mmCIF file with all atom_site columns, all heavy atoms in Angstrom:
data_model
loop_
_atom_site.group_PDB
_atom_site.id
_atom_site.type_symbol
_atom_site.label_atom_id
_atom_site.label_alt_id
_atom_site.label_comp_id
_atom_site.label_asym_id
_atom_site.label_entity_id
_atom_site.label_seq_id
_atom_site.pdbx_PDB_ins_code
_atom_site.Cartn_x
_atom_site.Cartn_y
_atom_site.Cartn_z
_atom_site.occupancy
_atom_site.B_iso_or_equiv
_atom_site.pdbx_formal_charge
_atom_site.auth_seq_id
_atom_site.auth_comp_id
_atom_site.auth_asym_id
_atom_site.auth_atom_id
_atom_site.pdbx_PDB_model_num
ATOM 1   N N   . GLN A 1 188 ? 35.085 6.370  -8.199  1.00 0.00 ? 1034 GLN A N   1
ATOM 2   C CA  . GLN A 1 188 ? 36.086 5.708  -7.374  1.00 0.00 ? 1034 GLN A CA  1
ATOM 3   C C   . GLN A 1 188 ? 36.002 6.103  -5.912  1.00 0.00 ? 1034 GLN A C   1
ATOM 4   O O   . GLN A 1 188 ? 36.512 5.388  -5.056  1.00 0.00 ? 1034 GLN A O   1
ATOM 5   C CB  . GLN A 1 188 ? 37.503 6.030  -7.904  1.00 0.00 ? 1034 GLN A CB  1
ATOM 6   C CG  . GLN A 1 188 ? 37.758 5.569  -9.330  1.00 0.00 ? 1034 GLN A CG  1
ATOM 7   C CD  . GLN A 1 188 ? 37.626 4.065  -9.479  1.00 0.00 ? 1034 GLN A CD  1
ATOM 8   O OE1 . GLN A 1 188 ? 38.061 3.307  -8.621  1.00 0.00 ? 1034 GLN A OE1 1
ATOM 9   N NE2 . GLN A 1 188 ? 37.004 3.639  -10.573 1.00 0.00 ? 1034 GLN A NE2 1
ATOM 10  N N   . GLU A 1 189 ? 35.388 7.189  -5.622  1.00 0.00 ? 1035 GLU A N   1
ATOM 11  C CA  . GLU A 1 189 ? 35.368 7.667  -4.255  1.00 0.00 ? 1035 GLU A CA  1
ATOM 12  C C   . GLU A 1 189 ? 34.447 6.806  -3.393  1.00 0.00 ? 1035 GLU A C   1
ATOM 13  O O   . GLU A 1 189 ? 33.270 6.655  -3.680  1.00 0.00 ? 1035 GLU A O   1
ATOM 14  C CB  . GLU A 1 189 ? 34.877 9.125  -4.209  1.00 0.00 ? 1035 GLU A CB  1
ATOM 15  C CG  . GLU A 1 189 ? 35.827 10.125 -4.843  1.00 0.00 ? 1035 GLU A CG  1
ATOM 16  C CD  . GLU A 1 189 ? 37.115 10.249 -4.069  1.00 0.00 ? 1035 GLU A CD  1
ATOM 17  O OE1 . GLU A 1 189 ? 37.114 9.961  -2.860  1.00 0.00 ? 1035 GLU A OE1 1
ATOM 18  O OE2 . GLU A 1 189 ? 38.128 10.634 -4.682  1.00 0.00 ? 1035 GLU A OE2 1
ATOM 19  N N   . GLN A 1 190 ? 34.998 6.232  -2.317  1.00 0.00 ? 1036 GLN A N   1
ATOM 20  C CA  . GLN A 1 190 ? 34.212 5.365  -1.442  1.00 0.00 ? 1036 GLN A CA  1
ATOM 21  C C   . GLN A 1 190 ? 33.094 6.135  -0.735  1.00 0.00 ? 1036 GLN A C   1
ATOM 22  O O   . GLN A 1 190 ? 32.008 5.602  -0.519  1.00 0.00 ? 1036 GLN A O   1
ATOM 23  C CB  . GLN A 1 190 ? 35.123 4.718  -0.383  1.00 0.00 ? 1036 GLN A CB  1
ATOM 24  C CG  . GLN A 1 190 ? 36.101 3.734  -0.967  1.00 0.00 ? 1036 GLN A CG  1
ATOM 25  C CD  . GLN A 1 190 ? 36.911 3.041  0.115   1.00 0.00 ? 1036 GLN A CD  1
ATOM 26  O OE1 . GLN A 1 190 ? 36.795 3.357  1.291   1.00 0.00 ? 1036 GLN A OE1 1
ATOM 27  N NE2 . GLN A 1 190 ? 37.745 2.101  -0.304  1.00 0.00 ? 1036 GLN A NE2 1
ATOM 28  N N   . LYS A 1 191 ? 33.330 7.379  -0.419  1.00 0.00 ? 1037 LYS A N   1
ATOM 29  C CA  . LYS A 1 191 ? 32.308 8.166  0.258   1.00 0.00 ? 1037 LYS A CA  1
ATOM 30  C C   . LYS A 1 191 ? 31.084 8.333  -0.614  1.00 0.00 ? 1037 LYS A C   1
ATOM 31  O O   . LYS A 1 191 ? 29.945 8.213  -0.144  1.00 0.00 ? 1037 LYS A O   1
ATOM 32  C CB  . LYS A 1 191 ? 32.866 9.536  0.642   1.00 0.00 ? 1037 LYS A CB  1
ATOM 33  C CG  . LYS A 1 191 ? 31.883 10.405 1.401   1.00 0.00 ? 1037 LYS A CG  1
ATOM 34  C CD  . LYS A 1 191 ? 32.517 11.724 1.800   1.00 0.00 ? 1037 LYS A CD  1
ATOM 35  C CE  . LYS A 1 191 ? 31.522 12.599 2.551   1.00 0.00 ? 1037 LYS A CE  1
ATOM 36  N NZ  . LYS A 1 191 ? 32.117 13.909 2.938   1.00 0.00 ? 1037 LYS A NZ  1
ATOM 37  N N   . GLN A 1 192 ? 31.302 8.600  -1.890  1.00 0.00 ? 1038 GLN A N   1
ATOM 38  C CA  . GLN A 1 192 ? 30.178 8.756  -2.806  1.00 0.00 ? 1038 GLN A CA  1
ATOM 39  C C   . GLN A 1 192 ? 29.436 7.435  -2.985  1.00 0.00 ? 1038 GLN A C   1
ATOM 40  O O   . GLN A 1 192 ? 28.212 7.406  -3.074  1.00 0.00 ? 1038 GLN A O   1
ATOM 41  C CB  . GLN A 1 192 ? 30.664 9.275  -4.161  1.00 0.00 ? 1038 GLN A CB  1
ATOM 42  C CG  . GLN A 1 192 ? 31.176 10.710 -4.108  1.00 0.00 ? 1038 GLN A CG  1
ATOM 43  C CD  . GLN A 1 192 ? 31.670 11.190 -5.453  1.00 0.00 ? 1038 GLN A CD  1
ATOM 44  O OE1 . GLN A 1 192 ? 31.828 10.406 -6.384  1.00 0.00 ? 1038 GLN A OE1 1
ATOM 45  N NE2 . GLN A 1 192 ? 31.912 12.494 -5.556  1.00 0.00 ? 1038 GLN A NE2 1
ATOM 46  N N   . GLU A 1 193 ? 30.190 6.330  -3.012  1.00 0.00 ? 1039 GLU A N   1
ATOM 47  C CA  . GLU A 1 193 ? 29.543 5.035  -3.154  1.00 0.00 ? 1039 GLU A CA  1
ATOM 48  C C   . GLU A 1 193 ? 28.688 4.716  -1.924  1.00 0.00 ? 1039 GLU A C   1
ATOM 49  O O   . GLU A 1 193 ? 27.568 4.212  -2.043  1.00 0.00 ? 1039 GLU A O   1
ATOM 50  C CB  . GLU A 1 193 ? 30.587 3.935  -3.360  1.00 0.00 ? 1039 GLU A CB  1
ATOM 51  C CG  . GLU A 1 193 ? 30.015 2.534  -3.474  1.00 0.00 ? 1039 GLU A CG  1
ATOM 52  C CD  . GLU A 1 193 ? 29.062 2.368  -4.633  1.00 0.00 ? 1039 GLU A CD  1
ATOM 53  O OE1 . GLU A 1 193 ? 29.183 3.110  -5.636  1.00 0.00 ? 1039 GLU A OE1 1
ATOM 54  O OE2 . GLU A 1 193 ? 28.165 1.513  -4.526  1.00 0.00 ? 1039 GLU A OE2 1
ATOM 55  N N   . ARG A 1 194 ? 29.193 5.026  -0.750  1.00 0.00 ? 1040 ARG A N   1
ATOM 56  C CA  . ARG A 1 194 ? 28.412 4.782  0.463   1.00 0.00 ? 1040 ARG A CA  1
ATOM 57  C C   . ARG A 1 194 ? 27.154 5.635  0.477   1.00 0.00 ? 1040 ARG A C   1
ATOM 58  O O   . ARG A 1 194 ? 26.095 5.181  0.913   1.00 0.00 ? 1040 ARG A O   1
ATOM 59  C CB  . ARG A 1 194 ? 29.263 5.073  1.707   1.00 0.00 ? 1040 ARG A CB  1
ATOM 60  C CG  . ARG A 1 194 ? 30.333 4.024  1.989   1.00 0.00 ? 1040 ARG A CG  1
ATOM 61  C CD  . ARG A 1 194 ? 30.874 4.182  3.402   1.00 0.00 ? 1040 ARG A CD  1
ATOM 62  N NE  . ARG A 1 194 ? 31.513 5.466  3.609   1.00 0.00 ? 1040 ARG A NE  1
ATOM 63  C CZ  . ARG A 1 194 ? 32.811 5.694  3.387   1.00 0.00 ? 1040 ARG A CZ  1
ATOM 64  N NH1 . ARG A 1 194 ? 33.599 4.710  2.941   1.00 0.00 ? 1040 ARG A NH1 1
ATOM 65  N NH2 . ARG A 1 194 ? 33.328 6.883  3.611   1.00 0.00 ? 1040 ARG A NH2 1
ATOM 66  N N   . GLU A 1 195 ? 27.263 6.862  -0.012  1.00 0.00 ? 1041 GLU A N   1
ATOM 67  C CA  . GLU A 1 195 ? 26.093 7.738  -0.066  1.00 0.00 ? 1041 GLU A CA  1
ATOM 68  C C   . GLU A 1 195 ? 25.056 7.180  -1.026  1.00 0.00 ? 1041 GLU A C   1
ATOM 69  O O   . GLU A 1 195 ? 23.854 7.206  -0.746  1.00 0.00 ? 1041 GLU A O   1
ATOM 70  C CB  . GLU A 1 195 ? 26.511 9.140  -0.491  1.00 0.00 ? 1041 GLU A CB  1
ATOM 71  C CG  . GLU A 1 195 ? 25.377 10.148 -0.534  1.00 0.00 ? 1041 GLU A CG  1
ATOM 72  C CD  . GLU A 1 195 ? 24.713 10.344 0.823   1.00 0.00 ? 1041 GLU A CD  1
ATOM 73  O OE1 . GLU A 1 195 ? 25.419 10.238 1.848   1.00 0.00 ? 1041 GLU A OE1 1
ATOM 74  O OE2 . GLU A 1 195 ? 23.498 10.585 0.862   1.00 0.00 ? 1041 GLU A OE2 1
ATOM 75  N N   . ARG A 1 196 ? 25.493 6.658  -2.142  1.00 0.00 ? 1042 ARG A N   1
ATOM 76  C CA  . ARG A 1 196 ? 24.551 6.058  -3.088  1.00 0.00 ? 1042 ARG A CA  1
ATOM 77  C C   . ARG A 1 196 ? 23.876 4.838  -2.481  1.00 0.00 ? 1042 ARG A C   1
ATOM 78  O O   . ARG A 1 196 ? 22.685 4.602  -2.688  1.00 0.00 ? 1042 ARG A O   1
ATOM 79  C CB  . ARG A 1 196 ? 25.268 5.688  -4.394  1.00 0.00 ? 1042 ARG A CB  1
ATOM 80  C CG  . ARG A 1 196 ? 25.568 6.885  -5.288  1.00 0.00 ? 1042 ARG A CG  1
ATOM 81  C CD  . ARG A 1 196 ? 25.900 6.431  -6.701  1.00 0.00 ? 1042 ARG A CD  1
ATOM 82  N NE  . ARG A 1 196 ? 27.149 5.692  -6.723  1.00 0.00 ? 1042 ARG A NE  1
ATOM 83  C CZ  . ARG A 1 196 ? 28.353 6.250  -6.879  1.00 0.00 ? 1042 ARG A CZ  1
ATOM 84  N NH1 . ARG A 1 196 ? 28.457 7.547  -7.000  1.00 0.00 ? 1042 ARG A NH1 1
ATOM 85  N NH2 . ARG A 1 196 ? 29.440 5.505  -6.917  1.00 0.00 ? 1042 ARG A NH2 1
ATOM 86  N N   . GLU A 1 197 ? 24.643 4.042  -1.745  1.00 0.00 ? 1043 GLU A N   1
ATOM 87  C CA  . GLU A 1 197 ? 24.062 2.871  -1.098  1.00 0.00 ? 1043 GLU A CA  1
ATOM 88  C C   . GLU A 1 197 ? 23.004 3.284  -0.080  1.00 0.00 ? 1043 GLU A C   1
ATOM 89  O O   . GLU A 1 197 ? 21.945 2.656  0.023   1.00 0.00 ? 1043 GLU A O   1
ATOM 90  C CB  . GLU A 1 197 ? 25.159 2.046  -0.415  1.00 0.00 ? 1043 GLU A CB  1
ATOM 91  C CG  . GLU A 1 197 ? 26.058 1.295  -1.368  1.00 0.00 ? 1043 GLU A CG  1
ATOM 92  C CD  . GLU A 1 197 ? 25.318 0.223  -2.147  1.00 0.00 ? 1043 GLU A CD  1
ATOM 93  O OE1 . GLU A 1 197 ? 24.273 -0.251 -1.655  1.00 0.00 ? 1043 GLU A OE1 1
ATOM 94  O OE2 . GLU A 1 197 ? 25.775 -0.126 -3.245  1.00 0.00 ? 1043 GLU A OE2 1
ATOM 95  N N   . ARG A 1 198 ? 23.290 4.342  0.672   1.00 0.00 ? 1044 ARG A N   1
ATOM 96  C CA  . ARG A 1 198 ? 22.304 4.829  1.638   1.00 0.00 ? 1044 ARG A CA  1
ATOM 97  C C   . ARG A 1 198 ? 21.048 5.315  0.935   1.00 0.00 ? 1044 ARG A C   1
ATOM 98  O O   . ARG A 1 198 ? 19.930 5.080  1.391   1.00 0.00 ? 1044 ARG A O   1
ATOM 99  C CB  . ARG A 1 198 ? 22.899 5.938  2.501   1.00 0.00 ? 1044 ARG A CB  1
ATOM 100 C CG  . ARG A 1 198 ? 23.852 5.445  3.577   1.00 0.00 ? 1044 ARG A CG  1
ATOM 101 C CD  . ARG A 1 198 ? 24.146 6.544  4.583   1.00 0.00 ? 1044 ARG A CD  1
ATOM 102 N NE  . ARG A 1 198 ? 24.912 7.622  3.979   1.00 0.00 ? 1044 ARG A NE  1
ATOM 103 C CZ  . ARG A 1 198 ? 26.245 7.676  3.978   1.00 0.00 ? 1044 ARG A CZ  1
ATOM 104 N NH1 . ARG A 1 198 ? 26.941 6.707  4.535   1.00 0.00 ? 1044 ARG A NH1 1
ATOM 105 N NH2 . ARG A 1 198 ? 26.879 8.691  3.426   1.00 0.00 ? 1044 ARG A NH2 1
ATOM 106 N N   . GLU A 1 199 ? 21.246 5.992  -0.198  1.00 0.00 ? 1045 GLU A N   1
ATOM 107 C CA  . GLU A 1 199 ? 20.085 6.489  -0.938  1.00 0.00 ? 1045 GLU A CA  1
ATOM 108 C C   . GLU A 1 199 ? 19.246 5.338  -1.473  1.00 0.00 ? 1045 GLU A C   1
ATOM 109 O O   . GLU A 1 199 ? 18.017 5.348  -1.376  1.00 0.00 ? 1045 GLU A O   1
ATOM 110 C CB  . GLU A 1 199 ? 20.539 7.369  -2.100  1.00 0.00 ? 1045 GLU A CB  1
ATOM 111 C CG  . GLU A 1 199 ? 19.386 7.881  -2.948  1.00 0.00 ? 1045 GLU A CG  1
ATOM 112 C CD  . GLU A 1 199 ? 19.846 8.670  -4.158  1.00 0.00 ? 1045 GLU A CD  1
ATOM 113 O OE1 . GLU A 1 199 ? 20.969 9.208  -4.127  1.00 0.00 ? 1045 GLU A OE1 1
ATOM 114 O OE2 . GLU A 1 199 ? 19.070 8.734  -5.135  1.00 0.00 ? 1045 GLU A OE2 1
#
Side-chain angles (χ1 to χ4, degrees):
Q1034 299 299 320
E1035 293 293 335
Q1036 292 184 356
K1037 182 178 179 181
Q1038 292 179 349
E1039 178 60 26
R1040 287 195 298 270
E1041 182 61 33
R1042 284 196 293 271
E1043 288 295 336
R1044 284 193 293 269
E1045 178 184 336

